[in-house]
Each structure stands twice: as C-alpha cells, then as structure tokens.
Amino acid sequence: MVVDEGSEDRVFHALSDATRRDILARVFRDGMSVSALARLYPMSFAAVQKHVAVLEQAGLVTKERRGREQIVHGAPDTLRGAIDGLMDVYERIWRQRAGRIERILEEES
Amino acid sequence: MVVDEGSEDRVFHALSDATRRDILARVFRDGMSVSALARLYPMSFAAVQKHVAVLEQAGLVTKERRGREQIVHGAPDTLRGAIDGLMDVYERIWRQRAGRIERILEEES
DNA sequence: CTAACGTACAACCACATGGTTGTAGATGAG
DNA sequence: CTCATCTACAACCATGTGGTTGTACGTTAG
C-alpha cells in the first residue's frame, strides 16, 4: 500500500460531513484558496480552516502556497482508494451469489 | 432520491470505523447473527451491537429475525449510493481537465 | 417448567468533534 | 514603511462517540 493503514478511518471520517464533501467537490473541480472557501459557508473562517485541515490530514486534498494564499486542490489517488475499498465490499455480495449459483448448477440430482 | 438527505453523513460516519467496515465486509459475503459477530472482536457484546445499530441507522445493513437470532445482511443499494457519490466527486477533476484541453484546442493563435 | 441464550437498552465515563473567539505571523498593495 | 489580507493556531464550550457494566425480556433447548 502507498498510504499507512488506519488512514481509511480518517478518510471516511473526513467524508462524513456535508460541508467537507462540498469543499471536496469544489476543489476537485478547481483549486480554491482557504479564504475563498470560507466565504461560501455560514461559519467562521477558523471553522472552514479546520475542515480543510481534516481533509488534508486524510490525504483528500493538498495545499499549494501561492503568494499569501493557500490554494486547496483535490487529491485523486486517495479518493480513488476509498472508492476501491468500497467496491471490494460491494462486490462480495455478487461473488457470493455467483458461488451459490455455481454450487446449484454443480448439483447432481 | 430514495433515501432522505443528510443520511450521507450517517453512511460515511458508519464507514469511518475499522470494526464497522469489517462487519460490513463479512455480512456482505454472508449474513451473520449479532452474537456471532460479537465473538469476532475484542470488545463487549453491547459494543458490537452498537456498531451494528450504527450500520443499520445508516441503511448499510438490514436485520432479519430468525428464531431468537437476528441475522445481519449487507444492503447493496446504500453502499452503491455512497460509491456513486464519491465517483461524482472523483470525475469532476477529469471533466475539468477535459474542459481545459478543449479550450486549448479551440485557441486560435 | 426452567435454564440458558440472543437481544435490547439505559446509565455512565473518557475523549474526540465542530463550532466559537482571540491572538499572532507572513505576505502583498499603496 | 504601513496597513489590510490570508493564514495558522490556541483556548474554550456543548455535544457526540466508542467503550464499559448492568438489567430486562423473548425464545429455544432439555
């Protein structure tokens, strides 16, 4: 694995807040400064800053310093990893069903 | 939408715990009773029961009573919904990049 | 019937979370 | 240089979280 284990917890926790998911969707479309993001939500700058920090800790976004601004970008690899993890769980039910069908077809009655 | 809004928070929060993700993976492969699940983890029955309740509230599992046991099954639709939501965010970066390329190709220099 | 099992739920605790305000350091504009 | 802007971070508070133990109830086995 590329990233350390236990980070999955942080990734999904980061995704468990609507404001953070909105921030994520926006910065994935186009990078934005922290203060530009802060203007979008009915909460203090510090609160938005904390949300960005949670996303950054989870590895879902990166920050790029540009002048006195900090531009937030989406990090595709981590998000891709989360999707892959869920897909693995999701696919189990189909593998399991396929196995059952197979066993039925193998029956010699 | 099939499910009420604000439930995305609950879904991702439910996924943000390693024990719950493990439970989910197991019951997606094959239904298990709550007590059978409880035997798998180094914590009290009540704790596992709470984890199952969180997954159930999020709509990620369902319970089916069988005798005195409660069989826990994975709920594919909700998980699929979570995956779809992440895919939407993920795809934005590609749409945005495709748009940039398009604009470059349209330049008349 | 009785005893054991599977489940549910309340009460409690330590700790994390999401929000606030306030202070302080870099950086760019004039 | 000076001032406004952007960012960072600490302190604080109410609430939620993950864990515990204890109690209670329905159901099956003997």
Side-chain angles (χ1 to χ4, degrees):
Chain A
M1 254 308 184
V2 183
V3 284
D4 71 300
E5 278 322 311
S7 67
E8 291 265 281
D9 283 25
R10 252 167 298 172
V11 171
F12 286 114
H13 170 252
L15 292 169
S16 73
D17 181 281
T19 302
R20 286 196 289 261
R21 286 196 302 278
D22 194 72
I23 291 175
L24 203 61
R26 287 177 184 275
V27 301
F28 256 92
R29 202 184 41 198
D30 229 338
M32 293 180 70
S33 73
V34 180
S35 51
L37 285 168
R39 275 177 234 119
L40 299 173
Y41 307 100
M43 65 185 75
S44 68
F45 175 84
V48 173
Q49 196 178 253
K50 275 198 196 177
H51 282 307
V52 172
V54 169
L55 289 167
E56 191 183 19
Q57 282 274 339
L60 283 165
V61 305
T62 57
K63 287 194 279 190
E64 168 214 0
R65 170 139 258 135
R66 218 162 78 188
R68 62 182 164 189
E69 293 187 335
Q70 198 86 259
I71 309 297
V72 182
H73 299 272
D77 288 356
T78 304
L79 186 54
R80 180 78 228 171
I83 293 171
D84 287 350
L86 294 188
M87 287 297 292
D88 284 350
V89 173
Y90 183 73
E91 282 173 3
R92 287 196 184 210
I93 200 165
W94 304 111
R95 280 201 287 272
Q96 190 261 142
R97 285 176 185 176
R100 280 211 313 252
I101 291 168
E102 215 167 277
R103 261 174 277 133
I104 289 168
L105 295 176
E106 278 168 358
E107 281 175 11
E108 24 186 333
S109 60
Chain B
M1 256 307 185
V2 184
V3 285
D4 70 300
E5 278 321 311
S7 67
E8 291 265 281
D9 283 25
R10 253 168 296 174
V11 171
F12 286 113
H13 170 253
L15 291 169
S16 74
D17 181 281
T19 301
R20 286 196 289 263
R21 287 196 303 276
D22 194 71
I23 291 175
L24 202 63
R26 287 177 184 274
V27 302
F28 256 93
R29 202 185 40 197
D30 230 337
M32 294 180 71
S33 74
V34 180
S35 51
L37 285 167
R39 275 178 234 118
L40 299 172
Y41 307 100
M43 64 184 76
S44 68
F45 174 85
V48 173
Q49 196 176 252
K50 276 198 198 177
H51 281 307
V52 173
V54 169
L55 289 167
E56 192 184 17
Q57 283 273 339
L60 283 165
V61 304
T62 57
K63 286 194 279 190
E64 166 214 1
R65 171 139 256 135
R66 219 162 77 186
R68 62 183 164 189
E69 293 186 334
Q70 198 86 258
I71 309 298
V72 184
H73 299 272
D77 288 356
T78 304
L79 185 53
R80 181 76 230 172
I83 293 171
D84 287 351
L86 294 188
M87 286 298 292
D88 284 350
V89 173
Y90 183 73
E91 282 173 4
R92 288 196 183 208
I93 199 167
W94 304 112
R95 280 202 286 271
Q96 189 262 142
R97 286 177 185 176
R100 281 211 312 252
I101 290 167
E102 216 168 277
R103 261 174 278 134
I104 290 168
L105 294 177
E106 279 168 357
E107 281 176 12
E108 26 186 331
S109 61

